[in-house]
Amino acid sequence: MTEVFHEDLEGSKEKAVLAGLCLPTDEDFDHSMEELEELAKACDMEVTGIAVQRMPAVNKALYVGKGKVEQIRQLAEESGAVLVIFDKTLTPMQLRNLQKELGLAVMDRTTLILEIFSKRAGTREAKLQVETASLKYMLPRLVGLHEALSRQGGASGSMSNRGAGEKKLELDRRHIEARLLSLEKELAKMEKDRESMRKRRQKSVLPLVSLVGYTNAGKSTLMNRLLERYNKGDEKNTIAKQVLEKDMLFATLETSVRRMEGEGGRQFLLSDTVGFINDLPHALIKAFRSTLEEVRYADLLLHVVDRSDPYYREHMQVTRQTIEELGAGKIPEICVFNKMDLLSESPDGEDYPKIVGNQIYMAAGCGIGLEELAALIEAALFGNRKEYALFFPYAAGGAFSKLQEETEILSTSYEEEGIRVKAALDNRMAGKYREYII
């Protein structure tokens, strides 16, 4: 990759230069830099130049060589950039030294991702999680980050209303530590509430399907298309339940859970989670752990992959590694190769949608493959159902009503002492209604 320049097409956006260091072990360096540019765009920045250096080792003081620092400074000056973003996490010393040498605001990849999360957080819990991660990252970097976080976004002020960013500047180290203690207490209370919600869902015996995958693989789009498929005839309710879908990294951060109601009383819960990315800041993973751990309670994972992305295999590896770290590696999985419509031709020349084992090739944005995916999901969730005979005394009418909500009733007979039922139950439901099975 060589240094490139971009024309100033959008003066309203904050201009930034990207800087990267390629080490001999960096096999995916070009992809990492492309991803960094997408992250900058997701943060509403205009990339005016890219500077790259190849060295055998990291410069401990400046990350890149001193001569390259001067080239980056000149590149920023010529292109009107007010910010330099480095491709890896900088040490506190590197951040301070680069800030001094460049005379410009400096960010690293971690700070940039934190900035995006800060902008996108919608719920109170997400905002508190992002603030916690940001403050923990700031503590050892207060001096170097001061100018980077307090800068005003040029003449247009596009980044001047920084919200959480400016609040950070008002806190000294002692106040930050006090704030972190307060945040952790509030998040702990929210986690208890979340755990109570999980237990209520588990008691309902409705299976949980979790969408997982690399950021911008199409998870939110797939969730919305499945909502439309499972809620036909209820357009108003379907629209109200839809989540934000946008062709952008980290368009959504919060976990959304929706009930899917199929034919024959077959119902399940579908959850959408924050997308994964390579080098996701450790502080963010830790802060969002309670949210991400929803995946651990799933009965089935839908691993959504952007098949049109040339680095889709690497994205799959990052996702599976994160799933393993969350303790969800043994949960059954359907691999959804999405965005097939964006490929010039099918990899094997065959048409899609196509199912191969537990893999499906489809295009959620075009509505192609939804019926086939629904069949795979229902087979995975309900394929082990068996027919049972049950008897509910009239005093247990509540349990019978619950059964009607949760599964397919094959026949019902009202007798003198109670209700005789034939129903299709999976193993979990059979355990729940064991006392009524005859």
Side-chain angles (χ1 to χ4, degrees):
M1 186 183 292
T2 57
E3 294 182 1
V4 297
F5 292 88
H6 301 268
E7 293 183 7
D8 183 8
L9 299 176
E10 297 183 73
S12 63
K13 293 187 177 182
E14 188 174 40
K15 296 179 179 180
V17 165
L18 308 184
L21 175 63
C22 182
L23 301 175
T25 55
D26 291 339
E27 296 179 359
D28 298 325
F29 176 75
D30 288 350
H31 176 226
S32 180
M33 290 301 295
E34 291 169 6
E35 197 168 72
L36 186 67
E37 184 169 8
E38 289 302 312
L39 287 168
K41 291 177 181 177
C43 205
D44 202 32
M45 299 175 181
E46 179 193 351
V47 176
T48 60
I50 300 176
V52 168
Q53 184 170 34
R54 301 180 186 275
M55 294 198 331
V58 172
N59 184 312
K60 292 183 178 180
L62 293 166
Y63 183 65
V64 294
K66 190 170 180 63
K68 179 58 66 172
V69 172
E70 177 58 24
Q71 290 181 24
I72 293 170
R73 190 192 65 76
Q74 292 178 3
L75 177 60
E77 182 179 340
E78 292 169 2
S79 62
V82 296
L83 170 68
V84 179
I85 305 172
F86 285 81
D87 65 318
K88 298 292 183 182
T89 300
L90 300 172
T91 66
M93 179 177 67
Q94 289 168 345
L95 186 62
R96 289 194 296 271
N97 292 342
L98 286 167
Q99 193 91 48
K100 182 178 179 181
E101 292 287 332
L102 291 169
L104 294 166
V106 174
M107 296 176 77
D108 58 15
R109 183 185 179 94
T110 298
T111 313
L112 180 60
I113 293 176
L114 287 169
E115 182 79 15
I116 294 171
F117 272 56
S118 180
K119 281 171 166 282
R120 303 278 169 76
T123 65
R124 176 160 179 76
E125 183 178 18
K127 290 176 181 178
L128 295 182
Q129 287 170 329
V130 173
E131 186 179 357
T132 298
S134 299
L135 292 178
K136 286 182 176 179
Y137 186 73
M138 275 187 65
L139 269 175
R141 297 171 171 82
L142 285 175
V143 176
L145 281 173
H146 190 278
E147 290 186 27
L149 292 173
S150 63
R151 70 190 186 281
Q152 300 298 307
S156 65
S158 62
M159 298 289 284
S160 60
N161 185 19
R162 305 194 61 77
E166 290 189 350
K167 290 178 184 177
K168 296 169 190 172
L169 298 175
E170 299 167 4
L171 304 172
D172 58 18
R173 185 179 301 274
R174 182 164 46 86
H175 289 155
I176 288 177
E177 290 172 348
R179 176 61 177 160
L180 278 171
L181 183 61
S182 175
L183 287 170
E184 287 170 353
K185 286 181 179 179
E186 189 167 355
L187 284 170
K189 183 179 182 301
M190 288 182 173
E191 171 56 17
K192 286 184 179 179
D193 294 339
R194 182 182 293 278
E195 185 63 27
S196 296
M197 290 176 63
R198 285 187 189 129
K199 288 179 179 178
R200 285 198 297 271
R201 285 207 299 268
Q202 287 172 333
K203 285 181 180 179
S204 75
V205 198
L206 283 184
L208 175 63
V209 180
S210 286
L211 291 160
V212 297
Y214 211 76
T215 181
N216 207 31
K219 296 184 300 299
S220 297
T221 298
L222 181 57
M223 183 175 213
N224 288 340
R225 299 296 85 77
L226 286 172
L227 269 169
E228 293 168 1
R229 189 267 178 197
Y230 276 96
N231 292 277
K232 290 178 180 177
D234 191 1
E235 184 177 349
K236 184 177 180 181
N237 190 37
T238 298
I239 293 174
K241 289 181 177 179
Q242 288 189 335
V243 297
L244 174 68
E245 55 180 274
K246 195 171 185 180
D247 185 14
M248 181 183 289
L249 302 185
F250 298 119
T252 55
L253 298 183
E254 288 80 31
T255 295
S256 303
V257 181
R258 301 289 187 267
R259 181 190 293 256
M260 301 290 167
E261 300 182 9
E263 297 178 0
R266 291 182 170 182
Q267 300 180 35
F268 62 92
L269 300 175
L270 181 66
S271 72
D272 186 15
T273 59
V274 61
F276 306 137
I277 195 169
N278 199 24
D279 295 328
L280 186 66
H282 177 73
L284 269 180
I285 294 177
K286 189 173 181 180
F288 274 81
R289 193 169 189 86
S290 62
T291 304
L292 291 171
E293 281 183 345
E294 288 285 338
V295 174
R296 290 176 54 193
Y297 299 89
D299 298 282
L300 177 68
L301 301 181
L302 296 187
H303 181 176
V304 185
V305 180
D306 178 358
R307 184 58 183 81
S308 69
D309 193 301
Y311 297 96
Y312 77 94
R313 293 186 186 278
E314 288 81 0
H315 295 175
M316 291 176 70
Q317 184 177 354
V318 169
T319 299
R320 285 183 172 142
Q321 181 180 343
T322 308
I323 289 171
E324 287 284 349
E325 291 172 359
L326 292 170
K330 294 183 179 180
I331 296 174
E333 174 187 297
I334 294 174
C335 190
V336 181
F337 287 107
N338 192 30
K339 302 188 182 182
M340 291 293 293
D341 56 308
L342 299 184
L343 289 169
S344 57
E345 60 179 356
S346 181
D348 55 11
E350 295 185 19
D351 292 335
Y352 62 93
K354 183 180 71 170
I355 296 174
V356 181
N358 69 333
Q359 301 176 345
I360 180 170
Y361 296 79
M362 61 181 293
C366 303
I368 299 174
L370 292 176
E371 291 300 325
E372 290 79 1
L373 176 59
L376 279 178
I377 293 172
E378 293 183 22
L381 294 178
F382 309 114
N384 65 342
R385 286 193 173 187
K386 299 178 182 178
E387 185 177 316
Y388 288 87
L390 303 95
F391 185 81
F392 294 88
Y394 286 116
F400 172 63
S401 297
K402 195 69 176 176
L403 179 70
Q404 288 179 302
E405 294 175 4
E406 295 175 349
T407 191
E408 181 179 2
I409 304 296
L410 303 176
S411 67
T412 305
S413 174
Y414 291 87
E415 301 179 358
E416 184 176 343
E417 296 181 357
I419 309 166
R420 192 174 298 275
V421 175
K422 283 187 179 180
L425 306 180
D426 59 26
N427 293 335
R428 292 181 310 153
M429 288 188 186
K432 179 179 180 181
Y433 294 99
R434 183 176 293 109
E435 62 182 295
Y436 304 108
I437 294 176
I438 56 177

